[in-house]
Amino acid sequence: TIRGGMVTQKRWVGENGVAQGNFETMTDIETSLPYTKDNGERAYIYLRPRTAADHQTDTNMSTVRIKTTVRDGREKSLSLDGHSFQMADHPTALSTEDFYHNTKKIEDVYYKEMEQLIKEKTGAAKVVVFNHQVRNQAKANASRDVGPYAASIHSDASAYQAESLFRSAISGQLGNAPKESMEPFRKGRFVFMNAWRNISEQPVQNHNLAVCDATSLVGGTDDAVPYDVYQPLFKSVGMFLAPRHALFHRWYYYSNLKKDEVVLFKQYDSDHSKSGRVCFHTSFSDPSAPPDTPDRESVEVRAMAFFPDHTPNTCPEFSDPNEEVASNLIQAVLYIQMWPFMGRIWFAGKSKTKAGREEILEELLKDKTGRIGCQDATEKEKILMKEAAIEQGFYTYVAQAAASLEKSGGWMVRFLSRLF
């Protein structure tokens, strides 16, 4: 039968398969999904304040809504390696309030729960959970402790971005896994993936997660278009889905998702032999949902899974570490507008002289935050990293960043920078 935006199929269920008079409803939803237009330009979006050196707008991306049937994935044979996603039963020790207010418990307890789940479902020898995001449209805030629902179909990482995350993980810069523990996982196969959970005690009734069957993508990824994401402390590269072949795409969701259920889906799989390697996804609305339907509350973690015994080797090679550190040093300078206020003033003052610019480079090489990638480097190694940074034009970028600071900060920056 059809009700509003829903196509429903009822099946008779009972305990241990015995009919007891209960109906469980499986629902396909007629809705529209937000595809991103491919205008031929490099797409971008800013999740931080723009500087004078940035683009003139927060984004050049625009979406178009395409009518779509999102099928209920329950009781269908959908798997991670076959289709790029699957659902798993997995309770958590955390309460709803823990996800909003107890970051330490999320990182100490929930991360381990998800690492174990991913190991069980994929056979991975090692899993590193390194990030999470709680979502609730009504509680979304500027700090992104609680984020809004996804506004367009996307994947979090291009192949380039996924390989960059792989190198960071092996170098001990992702999650809490020390570098020495990651050495055995340089070879084989890796998967960058998400684990998505409803955190409410009530099943999800609207704004659910829609996932695209990877086998329905024309030519594999013909419709995938990269876009730059300017984060507060770094730039990443994601993928959006253009509507060119939307007619062929098969979309799924899991109806009435409960708190003890998890949707696993891939962002990138280095094994090219798998049919399910990338899962495009988005939130979507059910046109038939009542206006007073509770807001969806969810959490997703991002993780890297490693398979060192996989053959042939599909993991990327490592580039010159000196070149990588040099690039990170320049990135730190390019994001000068995100530095603490007094850090920006110090930078502006030091940038005025040759000795000051050298001091900036030496200070960054101390890598106090661990983001540069040279925290454990020897003095001899740091000399080579410094030389590589200078060769890549580090001091030129310092001058450009200082000019940007003065332009945006005006007389206050010029005045206070004299203190340094």
Side-chain angles (χ1 to χ4, degrees):
T1 60
I2 299 178
R3 293 203 314 266
M6 302 187 295
V7 181
T8 67
Q9 297 175 315
K10 291 186 177 180
R11 58 186 178 88
W12 195 263
V13 296
E15 188 175 341
N16 298 321
V18 179
Q20 292 186 337
N22 295 323
F23 277 107
E24 182 174 316
T25 303
M26 300 175 62
T27 308
D28 295 345
I29 299 177
E30 301 292 341
T31 185
S32 62
L33 296 182
Y35 284 79
T36 301
K37 297 178 182 177
D38 182 3
N39 59 14
E41 300 176 354
R42 179 71 177 202
Y44 64 85
I45 185 170
Y46 284 82
L47 301 181
R48 60 165 175 81
R50 286 180 291 110
T51 69
D54 290 331
H55 297 91
Q56 297 302 303
T57 57
D58 286 337
T59 184
N60 64 345
M61 298 162 63
S62 60
T63 59
V64 56
R65 302 198 72 89
I66 304 294
K67 289 183 178 180
T68 308
T69 298
V70 184
R71 299 174 174 87
D72 195 336
R74 288 190 181 274
E75 297 197 350
K76 291 183 172 63
S77 299
L78 301 166
S79 67
L80 272 170
D81 285 344
H83 306 86
S84 73
F85 61 89
Q86 72 180 61
M87 191 190 75
D89 293 319
H90 194 272
T92 176
L94 276 68
S95 69
T96 300
E97 289 306 305
D98 286 335
F99 286 106
Y100 285 112
H101 304 299
N102 198 334
T103 300
K104 188 176 188 306
K105 192 170 184 179
I106 295 174
E107 294 176 350
D108 291 348
V109 178
Y110 191 66
Y111 281 18
K112 288 183 174 62
E113 290 180 350
M114 292 300 95
E115 287 173 356
Q116 186 59 37
L117 171 64
I118 293 170
K119 279 185 177 181
E120 290 175 0
K121 297 302 178 182
T122 66
K126 176 76 172 179
V127 176
V128 177
V129 171
F130 61 91
N131 175 272
H132 74 274
Q133 178 67 66
V134 175
R135 296 189 188 275
N136 180 330
Q137 195 71 30
K139 295 183 179 181
N141 54 48
S143 67
R144 296 187 69 83
D145 294 333
V146 179
Y149 307 146
S152 62
I153 298 166
H154 68 286
S155 171
D156 292 2
S158 63
Y160 171 85
Q161 185 67 31
E163 291 182 348
S164 177
L165 287 171
F166 169 80
R167 293 187 180 98
S168 294
I170 298 300
S171 301
Q173 299 176 45
L174 207 63
N176 295 320
K179 181 178 180 180
E180 55 271 18
S181 73
M182 297 304 297
E183 284 299 316
F185 307 105
R186 283 175 170 262
K187 301 290 184 181
R189 169 194 175 205
F190 78 93
V191 177
F192 171 31
M193 63 186 298
N194 283 30
W196 191 99
R197 180 191 297 271
N198 167 28
I199 61 173
S200 171
E201 296 298 333
Q202 302 299 319
V204 176
Q205 297 299 308
N206 197 10
H207 300 293
N208 211 321
L209 174 72
V211 285
C212 186
D213 179 353
T215 64
S216 69
L217 296 175
V218 176
T221 55
D222 279 7
D223 295 332
V225 182
Y227 68 98
D228 296 325
V229 186
Y230 292 89
Q231 310 273 7
L233 296 176
F234 58 93
K235 186 185 83 169
S236 60
V237 182
M239 305 286 285
F240 68 75
L241 198 59
R244 193 173 294 111
H245 300 109
L247 177 66
F248 300 98
H249 298 160
R250 291 188 297 276
W251 288 92
Y252 292 91
Y253 83 115
Y254 293 95
S255 61
N256 300 308
L257 268 173
K258 297 182 286 292
K259 187 167 177 274
D260 58 0
E261 296 176 318
V262 176
V263 179
L264 302 172
F265 60 94
K266 294 182 184 179
Q267 303 284 5
Y268 180 83
D269 189 334
S270 68
D271 183 358
H272 292 256
S273 70
K274 306 299 184 187
S275 57
R277 296 183 60 226
V278 178
C279 182
F280 285 92
H281 55 281
T282 186
S283 68
F284 74 101
S285 61
D286 179 353
S288 68
D292 59 350
T293 300
D295 291 303
R296 181 252 286 176
E297 303 174 84
S298 62
V299 65
E300 67 221 45
V301 300
R302 297 177 179 89
M304 298 290 285
F306 302 91
F307 307 79
D309 296 330
H310 181 273
T311 55
N313 174 44
T314 59
C315 295
E317 297 297 326
F318 277 69
S319 59
D320 183 344
N322 298 329
E323 297 295 327
E324 288 190 13
V325 168
S327 177
N328 291 339
L329 289 165
I330 290 171
Q331 285 294 316
V333 168
L334 292 177
Y335 282 98
I336 185 62
Q337 296 287 357
M338 304 306 299
W339 287 29
F341 177 73
M342 291 308 297
R344 298 198 301 269
I345 298 301
W346 174 85
F347 182 95
K350 293 296 182 183
S351 67
K352 297 180 186 298
T353 66
K354 182 176 184 294
R357 291 189 289 274
E358 291 175 350
E359 188 176 341
I360 290 172
L361 179 52
E362 293 292 343
E363 187 66 24
L364 288 175
L365 277 167
K366 294 177 182 177
D367 194 13
K368 294 177 180 178
T369 65
R371 295 182 178 275
I372 303 298
C374 60
Q375 205 169 48
D376 299 325
T378 65
E379 288 304 314
K380 184 177 180 180
E381 289 170 335
K382 286 188 177 182
I383 291 173
L384 297 175
M385 293 167 180
K386 180 178 178 179
E387 291 174 352
I390 294 171
E391 187 174 335
Q392 288 188 27
F394 178 84
Y395 293 133
T396 300
Y397 288 107
V398 168
Q400 293 175 357
S404 173
L405 272 181
E406 291 214 6
K407 184 176 181 180
S408 61
W411 67 268
M412 183 178 292
V413 169
R414 289 193 294 273
F415 175 75
L416 292 177
S417 64
R418 295 173 185 171
L419 299 175
F420 299 94

